[in-house]
Amino acid sequence: MRRMLAVIFAWVFLFPLTVQGQDWTAEQRELWDWEVACWDAKDIDSNMACFHEDFVGWGADSHVPTNRADRRITHARGFETSDQVYLFLKPLAIKIHGNTAVLIYMATYTQRDKVTGEETTYVEQWTDVALRENGRWAWIADHGTVLDDGEG
């Protein structure tokens, strides 16, 4: 727990002021709202609607790249075994170029095991690439890195 607090403390106070004081355009805010809603999805179908059919990425716990079908399996298992009890996402950079966007952000979330009631907090850094087709955004690629997995 102390390690997690140290990571959060460093994260909040050591980022350049230009990142902390970022002003987002209406388009960036709308994209960020979509990103948060995807993370906050409460069921597998809502979650999977955020993934493009051609998705490929390195999940924060992946040792190999995964595709949309792989994520459906792992995320469905997550919905079955745990509840998300806390979510905090902090955008660091949002770049939109036409129908392609890159989102760089920090994620802190707590999961509660549905059987044991044990809670684990994760701190991760993410880069997502989203593609807009027919006015709808979907993740086409990502890369996540666990900074703290609640152990220690």
Side-chain angles (χ1 to χ4, degrees), residues 56-59 62-67 70-71:
V56 65
W58 294 92
S62 300
H63 298 293
V64 296
T66 58
N67 61 28
D70 298 329
R71 293 288 176 94

Side-chain angles (χ1 to χ4, degrees), residues 2-150:
R2 276 188 264 170
R3 189 170 81 199
M4 180 186 66
L5 291 174
V7 169
I8 292 171
F9 179 80
W11 172 66
V12 168
F13 292 105
L14 296 180
F15 276 119
L17 292 176
T18 56
V19 171
Q20 289 183 12
Q22 193 87 241
D23 286 325
W24 307 111
T25 66
E27 186 179 31
Q28 288 170 315
R29 283 192 305 272
E30 182 179 320
L31 176 61
W32 184 247
D33 289 345
W34 166 81
E35 179 83 23
V36 172
C38 287
W39 268 82
D40 204 28
K42 302 298 184 206
D43 62 82
I44 190 62
D45 291 330
S46 299
N47 178 254
M48 294 314 298
C50 297
F51 288 86
H52 191 277
E53 290 294 324
D54 293 328
F55 172 85
V56 65
W58 294 92
D61 56 355
S62 300
H63 298 293
V64 296
T66 58
N67 61 28
R68 187 174 190 266
D70 298 329
R71 293 288 176 94
R72 175 176 275 284
I73 292 167
T74 58
H75 289 197
R77 178 75 173 137
F79 282 115
E80 291 170 9
T81 60
S82 63
D83 290 316
Q84 183 170 277
V85 295
Y86 173 77
L87 173 65
F88 176 74
L89 301 175
K90 172 74 173 166
L92 303 175
I94 301 172
K95 303 293 183 183
I96 301 173
H97 296 277
N99 290 324
T100 305
V102 176
L103 301 101
I104 298 175
Y105 59 96
M106 300 293 296
T108 303
Y109 59 97
T110 302
Q111 303 254 352
R112 179 183 300 128
D113 185 288
K114 288 183 177 181
V115 174
T116 67
E118 181 180 342
E119 293 185 359
T120 304
T121 298
Y122 300 89
V123 179
E124 301 170 348
Q125 58 187 17
W126 283 91
T127 300
D128 289 347
V129 179
L131 184 64
R132 181 172 41 201
E133 291 180 337
N134 301 317
R136 187 181 153 273
W137 288 104
W139 293 314
I140 189 116
D142 73 9
H143 187 265
T145 302
V146 175
L147 298 180
D148 190 349
D149 62 2

